[in-house]
Amino acid sequence: MSSDKLLSVENLAVEFDTYGGTVQAVRDVSFAVDAGETLAVVGESGCGKSVTVQSVMGLIPMPPGRITSGTAKLRGRNILGNPIVGGEDIRGAEIGMIFQDPMTSLNPTMNIGDQIAETLEVHRGFTAKQAFNRAVELLEMVRIPEAAKRAKQYPFEFSGGMLQRAMIATAIACEPAVLIADEPTTALDVTIQAQILDLMNDLKRDTNMAIILITHDLGVVARMADEVAVMYAGQIVEKGAVDDVFYRSAHPYTLGLRAAMPVNDREAEHRLTPIDGSPPDLFHPPKGCGYCARCPAAMKVCNDVVPPEFAMSDTTDHFSRCFLQHPESSAVRLDGLYRKEVSA
Amino acid sequence: MTPLVSIEHLVKYFDIGRDQRVHAVDDVSLTIYEGEIVGLVGESGSGKSTLGKTILGLHDKTSGTVKYGDEALPQHYRAADFQKYAARMQMIFQDPYSSLNPRMTVAEIIGEGLRLHSNANSTEIRERVAEWLRRVGLQPDHMSRYPHEFSGGQRQRIGIARALILEPEFVVCDEPISALDVSVQAQVVNLLDSIKKELGLTLLFIAHDLSMVRYVSDRMAVMYLGSLVEVGPANPVFFEPAHPYTQILTSSNPEPDPESERHRASTSITGEIPSPVNIPAGCRFADRCPKVMPQCRQETPKLKPLNGDADRQVACFLYD
């Protein structure tokens, strides 16, 4: 079913050899995204969300990294395991990427126009002049005023928001089918974040590209996503349409994340409910469910067996990797898990 | 309510040569009352951190006064002044990675304040450090470890213990949770909240996450390019913002609710915060303001009570 989607990743597993041992950063991750769709990947630092998309991009240095299993198909063609040198027909051309920190991701010794133009020279065989002219058009497209003048400036002359626009211009230069955005607005102020998110939505509408958006901000997810994948300890623990994941959350971790955030409702006088503890050590991933040690509803089975994907309905592809969704599990009410205490 | 920290016409300029100055804090007046949490919000570059540091004497004041109770704090802090005030006023820093000395153990980091500001001997200091480690949710046997052995959330707890071990009355928290994951943010916010209740602390809470500031604070102050544009109780400022800048901030703040996000009008404001070096005459927000009037470019609006309500102040000609 997912194989006819634009980009589908199946059973991806990635390890890294480090001095401390082997880290199993991504453990059996599958997802798919179609043209014109936005998939948000949410999770805490260290949950494997960046490694997942970097593997798809072919940006994992090997060694120390190692893709131990899985496929990533773009229009049916496997692109996983493309080497860093030689993978350029996909990376930058078919899949564009925006990185988190615009200040450190651009070359400080090259002007902005040349950095965008480089993509076009490498992938499209443009001459330097054609490429630079196109770069100016792209800067206009991402709404940088006085684009012709700005293209000759260097990164230090740009603000953080402008640099992020320049990076988006670079990423979309070759009209990629998929745009991967790794925490594109985390380093930016809310006002600038709103501008960048609007820009990404407009570009998606105009070019019908697919967007994979990595973020830890549930507000950004709510604003942008069609589909949401919640990651924890290297696995997708819940995935589905944005409304299913937000309004019919089926995994204790998803509920925990929501209970840990303030609600913008002046009547709701609640105390934030933190998730106690910290994520497991992926040098020695737990035998069972990764969230088990922090889960208020953990059962004996959770300790020993990795929960499979339990489908939440027959009509949607909403699933949860939680034994509470097992048909024979005793009916635990998930919404009471993180009861919001009324403050005194 | 008794005023604890009274800031009057505080100005902090930084000279950057060639007769140019950065107007980081420009004529800010704000009273912080005993036992309350004042949330300070604004974009980066609006002068929030500089204001916090200038109040504590980490920057010299260019002009203006800060009174602590009835006592005016010195214009320029000398070593003896830090000695005198540090036990009463403390700071929690933003980045738990760079604000702890990597070559000191946790016991040395947390105990340093006691060593400098009290007569406690080393056994007493160790006991107090152990007690505070427990209070912030760490183990006493973490004492002999170094900062790199801890996660970001744990480091922020060490920073909190270091600031609070002297049991100060007033603490400036400069973005204490921005570097942390969502689930850990809640841990740290709840910790600050319960310690605040125990010790009767007064906090200036600087952050850019509006939802979190509204949740944490009693009152909110909104800063733009060095000056305050709106001050008032947290809920009204968040839900019924008066100043056009506050309106834009709150409407840019995405909510974790897909349904309301779908119905959100595209609100993004054009332009970015201008340079604080050569500030034009008139209202500082005029160039980005959707409701700008000719008057805004000539005169500078002052903070005035909104609709005669002294608690709620706004600096905008729309409400004159």
Side-chain angles (χ1 to χ4, degrees):
Chain A
M1 146 218 128
S2 58
S3 57
D4 46 327
K5 292 232 183 175
L6 178 64
L7 173 71
S8 64
V9 173
E10 266 163 51
N11 308 108
L12 179 72
V14 186
E15 295 179 350
F16 289 90
D17 289 325
T18 70
Y19 287 114
T22 303
V23 184
Q24 302 182 21
V26 175
R27 306 184 293 148
D28 192 19
V29 161
S30 305
F31 62 84
V33 59
D34 222 345
E37 215 175 62
T38 302
L39 168 76
V41 183
V42 209
E44 289 176 74
S45 9
C47 73
K49 45 190 200 304
S50 292
V51 173
T52 303
V53 295
Q54 283 168 7
S55 326
V56 174
M57 269 305 257
L59 286 178
I60 300 283
M62 296 189 267
R66 194 164 52 232
I67 293 172
T68 51
S69 80
T71 55
K73 287 188 177 144
L74 183 72
R75 301 198 187 92
R77 174 185 159 203
N78 190 17
I79 56 167
L80 201 63
N82 265 351
I84 288 191
V85 177
E88 292 90 356
D89 57 328
I90 298 294
R91 185 180 340 107
E94 290 273 26
I95 309 180
M97 184 153 178
I98 312 170
F99 296 91
Q100 170 169 4
D101 188 351
M103 320 280 177
T104 55
S105 312
L106 291 165
N107 183 342
T109 67
M110 229 172 134
N111 73 43
I112 298 282
D114 283 342
Q115 299 197 43
I116 302 171
E118 192 182 23
T119 333
L120 292 160
E121 289 168 40
V122 171
H123 297 292
R124 290 280 185 270
F126 280 35
T127 65
K129 187 142 195 304
Q130 283 173 328
F132 195 87
N133 290 341
R134 178 69 186 143
V136 172
E137 286 170 29
L138 284 160
L139 286 175
E140 274 163 6
M141 208 153 109
V142 295
R143 296 176 209 142
I144 288 188
E146 300 173 86
K149 184 181 129 207
R150 286 296 199 161
K152 296 195 185 100
Q153 291 184 336
Y154 288 83
F156 77 92
E157 294 168 280
F158 276 49
S159 68
M162 301 278 258
L163 285 175
Q164 199 57 288
R165 286 164 195 272
M167 191 132 75
I168 293 176
T170 316
I172 62 168
C174 297
E175 294 157 19
V178 182
L179 178 70
I180 297 177
D182 188 355
E183 306 257 12
T185 57
T186 306
L188 307 176
D189 282 310
V190 280
T191 49
I192 310 299
Q193 167 171 291
Q195 296 173 3
I196 298 287
L197 296 181
D198 283 351
L199 173 66
M200 286 174 59
N201 271 337
D202 292 350
L203 290 171
K204 182 180 87 166
R205 195 192 53 220
D206 297 345
T207 64
N208 202 35
M209 63 185 176
I211 297 181
I212 300 178
L213 174 72
I214 299 186
T215 178
H216 63 264
D217 185 336
L218 291 177
V220 173
V221 177
R223 180 161 188 156
M224 300 289 288
D226 301 307
E227 294 266 317
V228 183
V230 183
M231 278 192 80
Y232 190 80
Q235 291 177 323
I236 293 179
V237 294
E238 177 167 6
K239 190 166 89 66
V242 63
D243 284 6
D244 284 334
V245 173
F246 274 79
Y247 299 129
R248 292 171 282 280
S249 312
H251 196 283
Y253 178 61
T254 316
L255 286 158
L257 275 185
R258 303 213 51 209
M261 290 181 75
V263 182
N264 294 331
D265 177 355
R266 62 163 75 199
E267 306 304 328
E269 276 300 319
H270 68 272
R271 223 174 120 81
L272 300 180
T273 316
I275 304 176
D276 290 328
S278 44
D281 175 1
L282 291 179
F283 286 117
H284 307 287
K287 211 165 88 193
C289 169
Y291 190 57
C292 181
R294 298 172 85 182
C295 181
M299 301 174 287
K300 194 156 168 289
V301 60
C302 306
N303 229 332
D304 302 325
V305 186
V306 176
E309 295 173 1
F310 292 103
M312 297 307 296
S313 88
D314 299 335
T315 48
T316 66
D317 54 2
H318 182 203
F319 74 77
S320 161
R321 271 180 186 267
C322 177
F323 280 116
L324 292 175
Q325 307 302 342
H326 190 285
E328 281 164 38
S329 140
S330 56
V332 174
R333 284 189 52 81
L334 274 176
D335 51 357
L337 270 188
Y338 295 92
R339 184 160 294 118
K340 299 192 167 165
E341 301 163 42
V342 176
S343 66
Chain B
M1 286 197 299
T2 338
L4 183 67
V5 177
S6 319
I7 303 156
E8 276 157 37
H9 303 291
L10 185 65
V11 175
K12 175 64 195 172
Y13 294 154
F14 293 99
D15 279 318
I16 52 169
R18 292 186 212 151
D19 281 334
Q20 291 197 311
R21 291 183 303 184
V22 172
H23 297 230
V25 174
D26 215 345
D27 196 14
V28 165
S29 299
L30 177 70
T31 306
I32 301 170
Y33 297 94
E34 256 174 45
E36 74 170 347
I37 300 183
V38 176
L40 183 61
V41 293
E43 285 169 280
S44 33
S46 60
K48 311 185 292 290
S49 296
T50 308
L51 176 59
K53 288 182 177 170
T54 311
I55 294 172
L56 295 186
L58 297 178
H59 290 311
D60 290 345
K61 302 168 190 64
T62 304
S63 67
T65 55
V66 177
K67 283 199 299 185
Y68 189 76
D70 297 325
E71 201 177 341
L73 298 178
Q75 205 74 10
H76 165 77
Y77 271 61
R78 294 174 198 289
D81 296 316
F82 284 114
Q83 185 77 21
K84 183 172 168 194
Y85 294 109
R88 288 192 266 166
M89 290 187 265
Q90 280 288 328
M91 181 144 183
I92 298 169
F93 294 91
Q94 169 168 14
D95 183 355
Y97 292 88
S98 61
S99 60
L100 302 177
N101 186 336
R103 299 172 59 152
M104 283 165 82
T105 63
V106 169
E108 285 164 351
I109 291 170
I110 299 178
E112 192 176 27
L114 281 179
R115 194 163 58 75
L116 296 174
H117 297 289
S118 76
N119 300 322
N121 63 36
S122 58
T123 334
E124 285 162 2
I125 291 177
R126 285 191 80 79
E127 279 167 16
R128 291 284 301 283
V129 170
E131 178 200 327
W132 269 95
L133 280 171
R134 262 193 300 271
R135 263 174 121 158
V136 298
L138 297 169
Q139 309 293 327
D141 60 0
H142 286 157
M143 218 187 278
S144 49
R145 296 198 194 171
Y146 288 89
H148 75 262
E149 298 174 67
F150 295 91
S151 68
Q154 288 174 319
R155 285 182 206 217
Q156 201 52 284
R157 290 159 191 267
I158 296 170
I160 292 174
R162 169 176 67 180
L164 299 184
I165 195 164
L166 292 167
E167 307 203 349
E169 293 155 349
F170 176 63
V171 180
V172 174
C173 308
D174 188 4
E175 308 246 14
I177 53 169
S178 326
L180 307 175
D181 273 317
V182 174
S183 68
V184 182
Q185 285 186 353
Q187 292 174 6
V188 172
V189 163
N190 284 352
L191 172 71
L192 275 175
D193 189 51
S194 59
I195 294 178
K196 184 217 153 212
K197 287 196 179 110
E198 250 172 75
L199 299 181
L201 285 177
T202 306
L203 300 180
L204 179 66
F205 189 92
I206 303 174
H208 62 256
D209 179 345
L210 288 167
S211 314
M212 198 53 105
V213 170
R214 182 203 69 91
Y215 171 78
V216 169
S217 325
D218 301 306
R219 286 195 303 145
M220 237 160 114
V222 184
M223 202 163 174
Y224 186 77
L225 211 57
S227 37
L228 293 180
V229 297
E230 185 161 1
V231 180
N235 274 336
V237 172
F238 186 89
F239 291 107
E240 296 116 33
H243 195 281
Y245 179 61
T246 320
Q247 290 170 357
I248 282 160
L249 273 187
T250 52
S251 64
S252 309
N253 185 40
E255 277 184 61
D257 183 349
E259 192 53 39
S260 68
E261 285 299 320
R262 269 193 283 274
H263 296 110
R264 175 195 294 277
S266 173
T267 46
S268 55
I269 169 185
T270 51
E272 298 180 14
I273 192 164
S275 150
V277 176
N278 297 311
I279 291 186
C283 174
R284 283 148 197 248
F285 189 58
D287 283 340
R288 295 171 82 189
C289 184
K291 298 176 185 162
V292 63
M293 303 176 289
Q295 188 187 8
C296 305
R297 305 212 189 256
Q298 281 136 28
E299 297 166 58
T300 310
K302 296 248 176 312
L303 267 186
K304 282 182 194 155
L306 178 68
N307 305 329
D309 178 359
D311 286 346
R312 186 84 192 276
Q313 292 174 298
V314 61
C316 182
F317 291 121
L318 285 174
Y319 301 96
D320 267 6

